[in-house]
Amino acid sequence: MHFYRVISYGVVYLFYFCIDFQGIFPETYIHLKEAIVKDRGQHETVIPSELPLGQELTSTLREWAVIWHKLYVDNKTTQFRHVQQMTYSLIEWRSQILSGTLPKDELAELKKKVTAKIDYGNRILGLDLVVRDDNGNILDPDETSTISLFKSHETASKRIEERIQEEKSLQQNLDLRGQPIFNTTHTYSLYVNFKNFVCNIGEDAELLMSLYDPDLSKFISENYLVRWGSNGMPKEIEKLNNLQAVFTDLSSSDLIRPKISLVCQIVRVGHMELKDGKKHTCGLRRPFGVAVMDITDIIHGKVDDEEKQHFIPFHIALNFMFSYFFFSKGVLPFFFLGLWVSLKLLPGDLAQVQKDFSHLVDRSTAVARKMGFPEIILPGDVRNDIYVTLIQGEFDKGKKKTPKNVEVTMSVHDEDGNLQEKAIHPGAGYEGVSEYKSVVYYQVKQPCWYETVKVGVCNLQFFFLFAARDKSERAFGMGFVKLMNADGTTLQDGKHNLIVYKGDNKKMEDAKCYLTLPCTKTEIEEKEAPSGKNLHHLANFTPTKDSTKDSFQIATLICSTKLTQNVDLLGLLNWRSNSQNISHNLRKLMEVEGGEIVKFLQDTLDALFNIMMEMSENETYDFLVFDALVFIISLIGDIKFQHFNPVLETYIYKHFSATLAYVYEQKATVWYPCILNAEELPETNKVWCSFIFLECRDALLPLLIDQLSGQLDDNSNKPDHEACSQLLSNVLEVLDRKDVVSINCQGCKLRLILLLRSYGKEMFSTYGIFVACMTAILRQMDDFHYNHYINTFKTRQDIIDFLMETFIMFKDLIGKNVYATDWMVMNMMQSRVFLRAVNQFTSVLNRFFLDQANFELQLWNNYFHLAVAFLTHESLQLETFSQAKRNKIIKKYGDMRKEIGFKIRDMWYNLGPHKIKFIPAMVGPILEVTLVPEPELRKATIPIFFDMMQCEFNFSGNRNFHMFENELITKLDQEVEGGRGDEQYKILLEKLLVGYFSNAKKC
């Protein structure tokens, strides 16, 4: 252990040393930033030549190194190793970035990993939060609105906290029985690595792997297809040792299924019977067996080892329909035959796992999607698939003694009957096929297939040809079904009983001969179609419904973001062709299931706004459109659809046109009553700000500000302060945009100042967004706004009341620490804005309340206590921070303590004869200021003590300064006993005061 500590200390020392001195550590580990150094006399200007991310990495490594070293010295082994691991990762990534060899997409992905690691590391090390834009770049507070800055802090904090909780979950997952291992993730993927198939079939085989819920007797995923050769290896030799798949779109509801299995169905491809040399039975797909593994523990997070290989024993099917029935009789296990696989549950969708688990999942990995949409539909997830399952059939044997060996051939055709090439996908890992042939059961009258394929959705029809695989090799029947219904909706999900037609074999595949016929038995019953005899006469086909007992059943499941099965939503999307039903369709929209709406979000919003523009003469539509918008935006607020917020924002900013903005302005007076009378302000807030306000600000701002002011001043009914602040924040966000330059908006900025006094202190302490709103208002105010606002007060007492309230409120906010201590940027932004506001108000004090007749003691007293509270606030005490943080603050904000301290000094001397009114009360506050260890500040404020003594000496009848003396000694003792003061302070205090006394005696 001692040797380990010696070696470790050497590593830490070298790392710590190399961070601060160039050329010590090998370049591959720490490549210090190159710089262009320009000599300017005795000073140098260092211009970094590396990318901003490289600069951030260098700065971060230096800051972490100090902490890493301290962890070692304090013998905190666990934390030391954690920081070591994170540091090594950053060093490696920094080397990759500086190499300049990464492609653009890989660099972007690496940037995401780097920034996530930095942000996570900073949080657990107690460092400041870094706020970034969507591309991971550090936000410049000078170029970012206050509200955006606040929201970025909120988002970053939430993201990092989720990451920390995720890390804790990973540590505890073995103890959490039955709980998902990544409980903060909404989407999951199961990685499967197919190692080997041990079974000497003697013919080629197809292995179809999928996820199965045994309790529901239901497959829940697409198939992963592996084609296995008769030689015991993959058919495509390049796939040897490279057979991986990822089952995606799994949700938390999938992970809490009581049981879940990995099923591999084995289909033999060859003769009807093994070693059967008959030519006419060649190339048949025959059911051979199944392998089943219970993967519940893996899905529940109890087992997490991607290196462990699992053996799944193989079960032979004895001429039995194995799909769905592999646990039943007729299946014999062969425990020495089977599959070898390894599995791992991964958090995230496909894009996320490709990024986070690139060593497992890459672009060559087969992707088997969930049959159905995931629990949360991600923006941009365009999908247009239909799953067709061959369920079962019943075919009369006719005059034969034994049932037929039925093979179903499925093909896909367009609406004119043209074959769609390679449109059918039997399983992930291979391209599509033009025809899909079912397995063939030997002499079974009622075969049950339960075979599922995927087809890309368009205006299609599915054609099924039934052939007896015996000596005749002739097709004896056909069936078909159309994807699109007559009303424009798609085929409903579920089972469909198709009509099996018999007829002229030559015409059986001619679309002209059958497309006008009914395709399902339900269609015949609903439409009371002609009898079989009439159909036979019309098309040379006989529906077996009347002549035999033949039947055929399929099931369909549509996963499409382009076509809908909902007739109400379709009616709205196609409103122009059905304009007489607009009102009905707008009302019915609120009854459509949310998942269906978000799949067509942009199309739905386009339809709503187009109705509003093109049907502007009918105000009834305006109110209905407004209600529909409230419904949709409230829907997006649901956690299930929260990922569509970026889609909504993109729509707002990129799809609005000037014409639409014009129409909004025309509709402002119509929609405004809706705002005022809305029952739920938060919902209305979202709609109002997102859809109306952004594009018609000039027309609506005055109305909106009036409404907000009334809400905040309403003492009779308790207002929804949180909703009001959210609404106000959206207003301020728009006003902060650089393109907002209209006179009306500038005037509204003045009116927003009036809202300041509507905020109560209790609201500020409850909602950080309130403080952000106030900070945003103050930040947008220039000298003109301040002067104009003061001039709006009618009496001197009004100004006094305002300043008193403001000073008390500012001091209260400073003391409450509204934002977390690691929100450095937000705290510094607030301090800078507050400082400017306070300085503006000092000019009002000097102008109105300084002369003998108008002096206001309490007002001045409140100012001094506010200024001292600001100066001594912990967020500004630079000497308590690391050198790196100190440098950042000085570079961006300077030392604000000096600015307010110099102002305190000036305001004190401005008091003139009023100074005696603040002695001895101000001795303690001024002492706090002088104790701040900043040399220039001390030199500027310590002389105030001498001025206080002189003032009391001149004022006192007996020419002494006992009040000052007693107060100073008492307060100084208290501060020193509390740990304040230092040797430099003692020396400077003595030097300055002695110097002043000496000069006073000479005078």
Side-chain angles (χ1 to χ4, degrees):
M1 182 64 185
H2 177 71
F3 176 77
Y4 167 77
R5 286 181 57 81
V6 171
I7 296 298
S8 295
Y9 185 83
V11 172
V12 175
Y13 178 77
L14 282 176
F15 178 80
Y16 184 69
F17 190 75
C18 79
I19 289 293
D20 289 313
F21 299 93
Q22 297 190 21
I24 300 298
F25 216 67
E27 186 173 319
T28 54
Y29 286 89
I30 291 291
H31 181 72
L32 294 168
K33 66 181 181 184
E34 298 175 0
I36 302 171
V37 181
K38 297 182 179 179
D39 187 77
R40 296 184 178 179
Q42 295 182 347
H43 303 283
E44 293 179 338
T45 301
V46 180
I47 305 175
S49 63
E50 64 187 23
L51 295 171
L53 183 58
Q55 297 175 36
E56 184 183 1
L57 274 166
T58 301
S59 174
T60 300
L61 286 168
R62 286 174 174 162
E63 200 164 12
W64 287 9
V66 177
I67 300 172
W68 194 29
H69 177 266
K70 188 175 186 306
L71 289 173
Y72 173 79
V73 172
D74 295 342
N75 199 26
K76 295 181 177 179
T77 308
T78 302
Q79 297 95 316
F80 171 82
R81 289 175 176 170
H82 195 181
V83 177
Q84 175 179 297
Q85 184 182 19
M86 293 191 301
T87 300
Y88 286 171
S89 297
L90 291 190
I91 291 172
E92 177 61 29
W93 292 337
R94 185 177 184 277
S95 176
Q96 294 177 31
I97 291 170
L98 293 180
S99 69
T101 58
L102 292 177
K104 188 176 180 180
D105 57 341
E106 290 186 24
L107 181 61
E109 288 300 315
L110 181 58
K111 184 177 182 179
K112 291 179 181 178
K113 273 202 295 191
V114 168
T115 53
K117 182 70 74 175
I118 289 175
D119 294 345
Y120 172 75
N122 284 344
R123 170 61 64 86
I124 66 173
L125 294 177
L127 300 176
D128 290 324
L129 183 71
V130 179
V131 284
R132 309 177 186 278
D133 60 20
D134 294 337
N135 297 318
N137 303 310
I138 297 177
L139 287 175
D140 182 352
D142 292 338
E143 300 296 325
T144 309
S145 73
T146 306
I147 303 300
S148 294
L149 205 59
F150 170 78
K151 291 180 178 178
S152 296
H153 278 80
E154 276 193 324
T155 301
S157 291
K158 182 179 179 182
R159 182 180 64 248
I160 296 168
E161 191 59 37
E162 287 177 350
R163 171 73 186 275
I164 290 174
Q165 292 303 318
E166 181 179 304
E167 291 289 330
K168 290 180 180 178
S169 295
L170 287 171
Q171 295 295 326
Q172 299 170 359
N173 72 82
L174 292 177
D175 300 325
L176 298 176
R177 186 174 183 84
Q179 293 294 323
I181 61 173
F182 306 105
N183 56 17
T184 58
T185 305
H186 298 294
T187 307
Y188 308 83
S189 302
L190 179 69
Y191 168 77
V192 177
N193 189 348
F194 183 89
K195 299 292 187 179
N196 197 11
F197 174 51
V198 182
C199 182
N200 184 17
I201 296 177
E203 291 185 322
D204 291 347
E206 294 177 358
L207 285 70
L208 296 149
M209 281 174 277
S210 54
L211 302 181
Y212 179 82
D213 186 327
D215 287 350
L216 300 179
S217 296
K218 178 182 178 182
F219 286 98
I220 62 175
S221 77
E222 299 175 357
N223 293 316
Y224 167 45
L225 173 61
V226 175
R227 292 199 168 107
W228 203 255
S230 58
N231 58 356
M233 292 193 298
K235 286 278 288 184
E236 295 79 11
I237 195 62
E238 66 272 12
K239 291 190 176 184
L240 184 64
N241 299 321
N242 189 31
L243 291 169
Q244 295 98 21
V246 60
F247 292 87
T248 63
D249 302 330
L250 302 177
S251 60
S252 56
S253 59
D254 293 313
L255 269 61
I256 61 174
R257 293 176 186 265
K259 289 184 179 180
I260 190 166
S261 302
L262 177 68
V263 173
C264 180
Q265 301 177 62
I266 298 99
V267 175
R268 176 173 59 83
V269 182
H271 300 91
M272 182 66 75
E273 300 289 346
L274 280 172
K275 300 181 181 179
D276 183 354
K278 297 180 180 179
K279 213 174 198 183
H280 63 266
T281 64
C282 182
L284 299 183
R285 297 180 70 246
R286 295 279 286 126
F288 190 71
V290 67
V292 183
M293 176 183 175
D294 185 342
I295 59 171
T296 307
D297 284 351
I298 295 173
I299 294 296
H300 286 183
K302 299 175 186 175
V303 177
D304 183 29
D305 184 2
E306 69 200 62
E307 298 300 325
K308 181 179 179 180
Q309 294 191 22
H310 303 271
F311 178 72
I312 311 177
F314 175 57
H315 304 255
I316 296 288
L318 301 179
N319 194 25
F320 199 81
M321 289 72 76
F322 57 86
S323 297
Y324 273 61
F325 300 109
F326 41 78
F327 294 118
S328 304
K329 60 182 179 179
V331 181
L332 300 179
F334 282 73
F335 293 105
F336 298 104
L337 306 177
L339 316 174
W340 288 94
V341 297
S342 60
L343 306 101
K344 183 176 179 63
L345 183 66
L346 309 176
D349 58 7
L350 179 61
Q352 190 69 35
V353 299
Q354 284 178 331
K355 180 182 76 171
D356 295 343
F357 301 93
S358 55
H359 63 292
L360 298 178
V361 182
D362 56 29
R363 294 176 181 176
S364 66
T365 306
V367 179
R369 303 198 69 168
K370 180 180 176 180
M371 287 200 293
F373 281 105
E375 190 173 67
I376 293 180
I377 305 169
L378 298 175
D381 187 359
V382 178
R383 201 167 173 187
N384 206 27
D385 303 321
I386 180 170
Y387 295 95
V388 181
T389 302
L390 311 182
I391 297 181
Q392 62 187 5
E394 181 174 354
F395 304 97
D396 185 62
K397 62 183 179 181
K399 297 179 181 179
K400 296 182 63 175
K401 295 182 180 180
T402 57
K404 301 169 183 175
N405 304 326
V406 179
E407 178 184 69
V408 182
T409 301
M410 174 182 168
S411 55
V412 179
H413 302 254
D414 63 18
E415 56 187 349
D416 296 322
N418 301 311
L419 177 68
Q420 301 297 291
E421 299 287 344
K422 298 184 178 180
I424 304 174
H425 299 268
Y430 289 89
E431 292 184 354
V433 296
S434 300
E435 288 186 338
Y436 176 79
K437 296 183 181 296
S438 72
V439 296
V440 179
Y441 294 105
Y442 183 68
Q443 296 182 355
V444 174
K445 182 182 179 181
Q446 297 176 322
C448 297
W449 297 279
Y450 286 97
E451 298 179 59
T452 300
V453 296
K454 181 173 71 174
V455 178
V457 173
C458 54
N459 196 1
L460 304 173
Q461 55 165 310
F462 304 114
F463 181 81
F464 304 93
L465 195 64
F466 309 107
R469 295 308 302 263
D470 50 25
K471 294 181 180 180
S472 66
E473 291 291 312
R474 289 173 58 90
F476 64 84
M478 56 79 64
F480 74 101
V481 67
K482 299 176 182 177
L483 175 62
M484 301 302 297
N485 296 321
D487 61 5
T489 59
T490 57
L491 189 66
Q492 291 294 314
D493 294 342
K495 295 180 179 180
H496 309 280
N497 293 308
L498 305 191
I499 299 171
V500 178
Y501 285 99
K502 290 185 176 181
D504 187 341
N505 194 53
K506 295 180 179 179
K507 294 183 177 181
M508 204 169 286
E509 298 184 48
D510 186 352
K512 295 178 183 178
C513 296
Y514 65 80
L515 279 181
T516 57
L517 300 176
C519 55
T520 66
K521 296 183 178 180
T522 302
E523 191 176 344
I524 290 180
E525 293 167 0
E526 289 178 351
K527 296 183 178 180
E528 297 182 356
S531 66
K533 293 181 179 179
N534 291 333
L535 289 172
H536 173 70
H537 174 72
L538 292 173
N540 294 318
F541 283 115
T542 300
T544 60
K545 174 178 179 289
D546 293 333
S547 60
T548 70
K549 295 181 180 180
D550 287 7
S551 66
F552 179 60
Q553 188 180 64
I554 66 168
T556 58
L557 174 65
I558 294 179
C559 297
S560 174
T561 55
K562 296 183 178 181
L563 297 175
T564 179
Q565 297 174 343
N566 189 286
V567 68
D568 295 322
L569 181 58
L570 183 68
L572 179 65
L573 297 178
N574 297 332
W575 65 273
R576 287 190 182 90
S577 61
N578 195 17
S579 58
Q580 68 273 16
N581 290 329
I582 292 177
S583 296
H584 171 78
N585 290 328
L586 284 170
R587 292 187 180 94
K588 295 296 287 185
L589 177 67
M590 268 86 76
E591 299 177 11
V592 178
E593 196 274 325
E596 195 71 7
I597 289 179
V598 295
K599 288 186 285 185
F600 306 93
L601 182 59
Q602 183 171 324
D603 292 336
T604 303
L605 294 174
D606 283 341
L608 291 174
F609 290 121
N610 286 330
I611 290 171
M612 185 182 64
M613 287 190 295
E614 298 178 28
M615 310 297 287
S616 57
E617 72 284 352
N618 191 335
E619 289 189 359
T620 302
Y621 296 150
D622 293 327
F623 293 105
L624 290 173
V625 167
F626 182 88
D627 291 340
L629 290 175
V630 171
F631 171 74
I632 291 175
I633 308 307
S634 301
L635 184 71
I636 301 302
D638 191 298
I639 188 172
K640 185 176 181 181
F641 306 114
Q642 63 183 350
H643 293 285
F644 275 83
N645 274 311
V647 178
L648 185 60
E649 292 175 6
T650 300
Y651 182 88
I652 292 170
Y653 287 106
K654 292 187 178 180
H655 295 281
F656 275 108
S657 64
T659 304
L660 192 56
Y662 172 77
V663 172
Y664 283 156
E665 294 187 13
Q666 307 307 307
K667 300 296 181 184
T669 56
V670 176
W671 283 18
Y672 185 60
C674 298
I675 301 296
L676 299 183
N677 298 323
E679 294 181 1
E680 294 185 18
L681 184 59
E683 290 186 349
T684 307
N685 165 34
K686 296 171 188 175
V687 178
W688 187 249
C689 292
S690 299
F691 284 98
I692 309 167
F693 174 67
L694 291 179
E695 296 300 334
C696 57
R697 50 187 174 263
D698 286 355
L700 298 177
L701 266 174
L703 298 175
L704 193 57
I705 292 172
D706 283 341
Q707 173 67 6
L708 274 170
S709 182
Q711 281 280 329
L712 291 169
D713 288 335
D714 186 2
N715 295 321
S716 59
N717 297 313
K718 186 177 180 181
D720 188 338
H721 288 136
E722 184 175 14
C724 288
S725 65
Q726 291 290 347
L727 181 53
L728 179 58
S729 69
N730 284 328
V731 175
L732 292 166
E733 185 79 337
V734 173
L735 287 177
D736 207 46
R737 283 164 50 178
K738 291 181 173 57
D739 59 338
V740 178
V741 294
S742 72
I743 295 175
N744 196 22
C745 286
Q746 290 297 329
C748 285
K749 290 183 180 180
L750 293 174
R751 299 191 63 194
L752 283 173
I753 303 170
L754 297 172
L755 291 176
L756 280 174
R757 299 181 71 184
S758 299
Y759 289 102
K761 289 190 294 184
E762 62 279 357
M763 289 187 288
F764 284 115
S765 62
T766 306
Y767 304 115
I769 185 65
F770 269 70
V771 181
C773 286
M774 186 185 66
T775 305
I777 294 174
L778 294 173
R779 189 181 177 191
Q780 292 184 24
M781 291 169 61
D782 54 26
D783 293 348
F784 166 77
H785 291 119
Y786 279 104
N787 291 330
H788 181 88
Y789 182 58
I790 294 299
N791 291 334
T792 61
F793 294 112
K794 296 179 179 179
T795 67
R796 181 173 173 275
Q797 188 59 44
D798 289 339
I799 301 177
I800 293 173
D801 292 343
F802 167 71
L803 291 178
M804 291 283 281
E805 291 172 10
T806 302
F807 291 161
I808 292 172
M809 180 179 65
F810 277 20
K811 186 174 183 296
D812 187 58
L813 288 176
I814 290 170
K816 285 187 180 299
N817 292 322
V818 177
Y819 303 122
T821 54
D822 66 339
W823 286 29
M824 189 268 285
V825 176
M826 196 68 198
N827 281 316
M828 296 307 293
M829 168 68 72
Q830 177 188 311
S831 295
R832 186 165 66 180
V833 171
F834 278 18
L835 178 58
R836 182 174 178 274
V838 170
N839 286 339
Q840 287 282 341
F841 297 142
T842 59
S843 65
V844 179
L845 281 177
N846 289 327
R847 186 170 49 163
F848 293 106
F849 306 107
L850 185 58
D851 63 303
Q852 190 66 35
N854 296 306
F855 187 76
E856 289 290 335
L857 175 63
Q858 191 57 48
L859 197 56
W860 279 83
N861 190 60
N862 285 359
Y863 162 75
F864 281 122
H865 280 84
L866 166 62
V868 172
F870 181 92
L871 187 148
T872 57
H873 193 264
E874 60 183 10
S875 66
L876 299 180
Q877 308 315 307
L878 302 180
E879 58 282 341
T880 64
F881 305 145
S882 67
Q883 186 63 50
K885 181 175 180 178
R886 193 155 56 238
N887 292 341
K888 289 178 187 175
I889 294 176
I890 290 292
K891 181 179 179 181
K892 189 70 179 177
Y893 306 97
D895 191 342
M896 286 184 273
R897 297 176 302 177
K898 290 197 293 183
E899 184 177 346
I900 192 70
F902 296 159
K903 183 65 71 172
I904 291 173
R905 175 199 61 189
D906 295 342
M907 294 293 280
W908 171 261
Y909 288 119
N910 285 347
L911 286 172
H914 300 296
K915 293 176 186 175
I916 193 63
K917 300 173 184 176
F918 296 89
I919 301 172
M922 280 300 297
V923 172
I926 296 298
L927 179 62
E928 288 188 62
V929 173
T930 63
L931 284 168
V932 172
E934 207 296 314
E936 292 183 42
L937 180 61
R938 284 177 169 176
K939 289 177 183 178
T941 53
I942 287 178
I944 294 176
F945 290 146
F946 180 78
D947 190 61
M948 287 181 169
M949 288 188 288
Q950 200 169 37
C951 178
E952 186 182 354
F953 180 80
N954 293 332
F955 179 80
S956 175
N958 54 8
R959 300 290 180 174
N960 60 50
F961 39 83
H962 293 311
M963 289 190 300
F964 168 80
E965 181 182 21
N966 292 336
E967 186 72 6
L968 179 63
I969 292 172
T970 301
K971 296 296 183 183
L972 192 56
D973 283 346
Q974 292 175 356
E975 295 291 348
V976 171
E977 288 176 3
R980 303 286 300 278
D982 50 63
E983 189 64 26
Q984 289 80 9
Y985 180 78
K986 175 183 174 183
I987 295 171
L988 184 61
L989 182 65
E990 182 179 4
K991 177 182 177 181
L992 290 176
L993 291 182
V994 169
Y996 275 106
F997 275 118
S998 299
N999 291 334
K1001 288 180 180 180
K1002 292 178 182 178
C1003 296

